[in-house]
Amino acid sequence: MNDIKVLNHAADNIRILAASMVEKAKSGHPGGAMGGADFINVLYSEYLNYDPADPAWVGRDRFFLDPGHMAPMLYSQLALIGKFSLDELQQLRQWGSPTPGHPEADIQRGIENTSGPLGQGHTFGIGAAIAAKFLAAHTGNPTFEKETIYIYISDGGVQEEISQGAARIAGILGLDNVVMFYDSNDIQLSTETKVVMNEDTAAKYRALGWEVFEICGNDAAQIREAIEKAKAVKGKPALIIGKTIMGKGALKEDGSSYEANCKTHGAPLGGNAFVNTINHLGGNPENPFVIFDDVKELYARRAEELKAIAAKRKAEEAAWATANPEKAAAQAEWFSGKAPKIDWTKVQQKSGDATRNASAAVLSVLAEQVPNMIVASADLSNSDKTDGFLKKTHALKAGDFSGAFFQAGVAELTMACCCIGMALHGGVIPACGTFFVFSDYMKPAVRMAALMELPVKFIWTHDAFRVGEDGPTHEPVEQEAQIRLMEKLKNHHGKNSTLVLRPADAVETTEAWRLAMENTCTPTALILSRQNIADLPAGNDYKQAERGAYIVAGSDENPDVILLASGSEVSTLVAGAELLRQDGVKVRIVSVPSEGLFRSQPKDYQQAILPAGVKKFGLTAGLPVNLEGLVGADGSVWGLQSFGFSAPYKVLDEKLGFTAENVYKQVKAIL
Ligand SMILES: Cc1ncc(C[n+]2csc(CCOP(=O)(O)OP(=O)(O)O)c2C)c(N)n1
Ligand SMILES: [Mg+2]
């Protein structure tokens, strides 16, 4: 057992480093970091199990941070275990540094998740805990049973609505591999918390099925005892509510206490307040970037313990692998990040089917061929057709993770963040479905998946006003334009941050799913129709969908006009082209499942498909902006510019001009 005095000294060391980083950067958040130092220090010096020599070890415990503004606390802690140098700490928030203002996932550096948008980080942790349970059940590797997901949440994360979803899921699934610490310091950015929350948080979490412990979060002995108890809880997730002091140890310029003060939330302590604070904590304000000798020893001892812990666990894993060579090989493949091998010839599509049904046909094959896939739905599986997958497996439930379907309930953002957490954990391929209009509830998570370059699959059905009778609340119009912006936004590797595919018919849906499964480095969005869609003309070369846009079979040589669309509008163009041909107009039809992918092709390909000088007409059930960039100034786009209306979809097609006749009319107008 470590001496409490040494633990307190180490926590003070973290406080000094965190406050000094912010002081040097002249911006950042010292207060929360100083209050949370005791918990993170006890966790890392006594509980978090990992292999110092193998950061990506699959069986490691994981630490998920929710309040990304507490980056200085995390970086300082990681400096104590050798993941950051003291020089790097001094580069907080600077260009090109490994210490950005909010942490970005980097497993080699010990950062499991990107955090910043409050609420998401802890939900990623819940997703990771689901993945660990799934892997334990599906591989039998004993290491996954021993893995603990530690989560750190603050007032902001608890206030975010997603915390209700995350807590509900963890409770209903009985995630006893979760230990969440709530840094309850009664202070937030602009007010004391009592101004905006006065519920009984412990009772709330208990009601949601958690075991709750309440302690002083700045007392190392109480933290240790609470972690012991939390780890021992069976069948439930555990929450440790630690009352902490914002800016613990901070002093003002005049030497009076600067603790529990909103001002330390998001600004350097400043000048003499900084000097007084560092002196008070036992540091040297002239040279604060130091790790104390006893703290070095504490972590050197822990590193030795960890070597032994990891060696023992890895020996257990090796014994399991020897006894289960096939499962071990499968597990290695699952964690390789490589695309799974899929026999696509097994997918049977029905002619004229809705693309959501076509997606179900694919999912039913994936359920058989991709044993590490987890598919989720926000209570719409029979509508978004993720039930194609569900029919071949069963839902995950408390105590039984042998299934592969995650029933998320009506909680789209929670579902998306859980899927992201699964992807962060590694070893599984998550996908989640709901209606496209509700992608609005998921966008913040899509952005995080895109930033972290995680291959989560988003399945969005009921892709247009053809939801019909449900009316404008359910009719996506601007959603496609919104989500396609993510195709234009580049990730840290210079790639389109998201792949967005809206296939034109059943067989193109198989291709879209193939692209989604082969895309291992960004999220993929699949936008699918509710209604049936006529097949593209016979002889269509669907493989070309991988180029983002391609010429549909039956197109004329030397066209007078090029008609382009994605999704079901392509078949409307095909019908319109028939009328135009009766007038002797030569027509090329281009299916554009992904503008982003198309714009990533060589210029000569793009020019061959959409040559300059040929008039172009676009048809989209979304905002015209979806196609305006491809059509150019001399063409035109027929799209939707209203929220839509409640009526049977065939009536809407007529009223809104999504007919062969209107295509004919509009094209004639530009020729
Ligand atoms: C979704 C989201 N909304 C707003 C913010 C801006 N913000 C950052 S920290 C914070 C207050 C958080 O308070 P708390 O979690 O108690 O942190 P503490 O002040 O205790 O460090 C806010 C509003 C954010 N990061 N994410
Ligand atoms: Mg707070």
Side-chain angles (χ1 to χ4, degrees):
M1 269 248 219
N2 293 308
D3 185 343
I4 295 290
K5 269 202 216 127
V6 176
L7 291 178
N8 290 343
H9 203 210
D12 281 343
N13 208 157
I14 294 172
R15 287 186 253 278
I16 292 168
L17 292 173
S20 304
M21 290 170 79
V22 174
E23 203 68 21
K24 177 132 210 260
K26 300 194 181 69
S27 94
H29 304 80
M34 295 174 78
D38 299 281
F39 174 79
I40 197 166
N41 176 58
V42 172
L43 178 65
Y44 275 75
S45 61
E46 300 192 348
Y47 291 97
L48 192 80
N49 289 332
Y50 59 95
D51 183 349
D54 179 12
W57 172 36
V58 300
R60 69 188 183 278
D61 289 343
R62 280 138 172 99
F63 176 71
F64 281 84
L65 182 71
D66 192 286
H69 67 278
M70 289 172 68
M73 175 184 80
L74 181 60
Y75 298 146
S76 300
Q77 177 62 63
L78 293 173
L80 300 190
I81 64 166
K83 299 276 189 188
F84 285 87
S85 71
L86 293 171
D87 282 344
E88 286 167 340
L89 295 191
Q90 295 179 59
Q91 294 304 309
L92 177 72
R93 298 177 159 241
Q94 305 310 309
W95 173 261
S97 79
T99 44
H102 292 79
E104 294 185 40
D106 183 345
I107 286 167
Q108 296 302 316
R109 293 266 189 179
I111 299 178
E112 297 286 351
N113 64 298
T114 298
S115 54
L118 292 162
Q120 291 201 51
H122 81 283
T123 314
F124 300 156
I126 301 303
I130 295 172
K133 290 272 183 192
F134 175 93
L135 289 163
H138 287 253
T139 64
N141 183 344
T143 208
F144 297 117
E145 293 280 3
K146 296 193 173 162
E147 193 187 314
T148 302
I149 307 297
Y150 293 99
I151 302 176
Y152 190 112
I153 191 171
S154 61
D155 298 306
V158 170
Q159 285 164 25
E160 283 293 344
E161 295 89 337
I162 191 176
S163 68
Q164 142 91 16
R168 176 178 53 78
I169 292 298
I172 196 92
L173 291 179
L175 298 179
D176 53 14
N177 51 351
V178 167
V179 173
M180 183 159 86
F181 177 75
Y182 169 21
D183 173 9
S184 172
N185 62 11
D186 298 333
I187 304 276
Q188 52 197 88
L189 190 153
S190 59
T191 64
E192 291 182 52
T193 54
K194 68 179 180 210
V195 177
V196 295
M197 72 192 290
N198 70 355
E199 69 268 29
D200 181 340
T201 302
K204 183 174 84 174
Y205 275 85
R206 285 191 184 108
L208 287 160
W210 291 56
E211 192 72 37
V212 180
F213 305 94
E214 295 177 87
I215 61 165
C216 167
N218 293 120
D219 181 317
Q222 289 190 37
I223 294 167
R224 181 190 275 156
E225 192 188 332
I227 296 178
E228 290 287 347
K229 286 185 181 158
K231 274 174 65 86
V233 172
K234 289 277 164 270
K236 290 172 167 193
L239 176 68
I240 301 169
I241 302 181
K243 293 309 295 184
T244 56
I245 297 172
M246 170 74 134
K248 184 157 192 328
L251 296 179
K252 287 187 183 153
E253 198 170 331
D254 63 4
S256 65
S257 170
Y258 204 178
E259 291 183 340
N261 190 319
C262 275
K263 286 197 186 134
T264 71
H265 163 89
L269 299 175
N272 284 339
F274 172 72
V275 171
N276 290 342
T277 300
I278 301 304
N279 278 327
H280 178 59
L281 290 169
N284 174 4
E286 301 291 308
N287 180 26
F289 290 98
V290 166
I291 301 177
F292 301 139
D293 287 342
D294 57 341
V295 178
K296 277 189 197 149
E297 272 170 40
L298 170 73
Y299 278 97
R301 275 200 307 279
R302 180 61 183 164
E304 287 306 311
E305 282 169 19
L306 284 170
K307 263 191 217 163
I309 291 168
K312 184 159 174 273
R313 287 271 299 277
K314 286 184 167 177
E316 289 167 9
E317 288 175 21
W320 163 81
T322 308
N324 301 277
E326 275 176 24
K327 290 212 156 147
Q331 182 197 298
E333 189 71 22
W334 298 354
F335 275 93
S336 71
K338 283 191 234 140
K341 291 182 196 77
I342 295 161
D343 177 2
W344 292 98
T345 64
K346 291 281 183 291
V347 177
Q348 296 288 319
Q349 293 295 6
K350 269 202 293 202
S351 168
D353 218 346
T355 55
R356 64 173 167 150
N357 293 335
S359 171
V362 173
L363 283 167
S364 120
V365 168
L366 296 181
E368 286 169 353
Q369 295 192 22
V370 188
N372 63 328
M373 190 157 177
I374 301 178
V375 176
S377 177
D379 195 30
L380 282 170
S381 58
N382 43 354
S383 293
D384 62 32
K385 291 292 161 193
T386 51
D387 63 0
F389 192 88
L390 178 55
K391 282 175 192 157
K392 296 275 174 74
T393 178
H394 51 275
L396 305 171
K397 55 177 195 277
D400 177 8
F401 285 75
S402 61
F405 197 87
F406 168 39
Q407 289 286 13
V410 191
E412 296 77 13
L413 180 59
T414 298
M415 171 175 75
C417 287
C418 285
C419 287
I420 289 171
M422 294 177 202
L424 283 169
H425 182 282
V428 299
I429 301 174
C432 58
T434 186
F435 289 164
F436 190 32
V437 77
F438 303 134
S439 64
D440 283 355
Y441 278 35
M442 303 165 75
K443 169 64 174 49
V446 176
R447 185 168 196 275
M448 290 293 272
L451 178 60
M452 290 189 273
E453 305 180 10
L454 297 172
V456 176
K457 325 296 175 208
F458 296 101
I459 304 164
W460 286 314
T461 65
H462 298 61
D463 67 351
F465 64 80
R466 298 180 189 89
V467 171
E469 293 90 334
D470 276 337
T473 57
H474 282 54
E475 294 176 10
V477 180
E478 76 283 16
Q479 279 70 16
E480 187 179 343
Q482 280 174 186
I483 216 70
R484 287 205 184 277
L485 288 176
M486 301 306 292
E487 288 194 304
K488 299 191 189 276
L489 182 62
K490 303 283 186 237
N491 64 25
H492 286 328
H493 287 94
K495 288 200 166 172
N496 298 351
S497 73
T498 306
L499 172 63
V500 181
L501 296 159
R502 185 166 178 252
D505 71 0
V507 177
E508 203 180 278
T509 303
T510 307
E511 284 307 303
W513 258 113
R514 182 178 64 78
L515 294 171
M517 295 304 285
E518 286 172 3
N519 177 13
T520 57
C521 53
T522 81
T524 304
L526 297 166
I527 305 174
L528 305 166
S529 78
R530 173 202 188 201
Q531 84 285 3
N532 289 348
I533 304 178
D535 293 348
L536 296 186
N540 193 56
D541 179 7
Y542 288 99
K543 187 99 189 0
Q544 298 180 84
E546 69 190 19
R547 310 206 73 171
Y550 66 98
I551 301 168
V552 169
S555 291
D556 301 318
E557 294 291 323
N558 302 318
D560 302 312
V561 65
I562 299 173
L563 313 184
L564 58 150
S566 71
S568 61
E569 289 86 87
V570 181
S571 64
T572 310
L573 293 180
V574 172
E578 283 314 304
L579 302 179
L580 288 163
R581 285 189 181 115
Q582 285 166 20
D583 277 8
V585 179
K586 287 189 286 177
V587 183
R588 167 182 295 181
I589 294 169
V590 173
S591 174
V592 195
S594 165
E595 182 188 343
L597 202 49
F598 178 61
R599 288 191 184 274
S600 308
Q601 304 303 311
K603 273 276 170 270
D604 58 349
Y605 178 79
Q606 296 183 38
Q607 276 155 13
I609 302 300
L610 298 178
V614 184
K615 290 248 169 72
K616 299 174 190 79
F617 171 77
L619 184 67
T620 171
L623 289 175
V625 71
N626 286 339
L627 294 171
E628 278 164 354
L630 294 175
V631 158
D634 60 345
S636 76
V637 177
W638 187 263
L640 201 60
Q641 309 202 31
S642 75
F643 284 104
F645 306 90
S646 173
Y649 81 87
K650 291 201 167 146
V651 174
L652 290 177
D653 270 339
E654 292 290 331
K655 298 279 183 198
L656 299 172
F658 287 79
T659 59
E661 292 70 27
N662 192 44
V663 169
Y664 172 87
K665 194 171 135 197
Q666 299 304 325
V667 172
K668 281 298 214 176
I670 58 165
L671 282 183

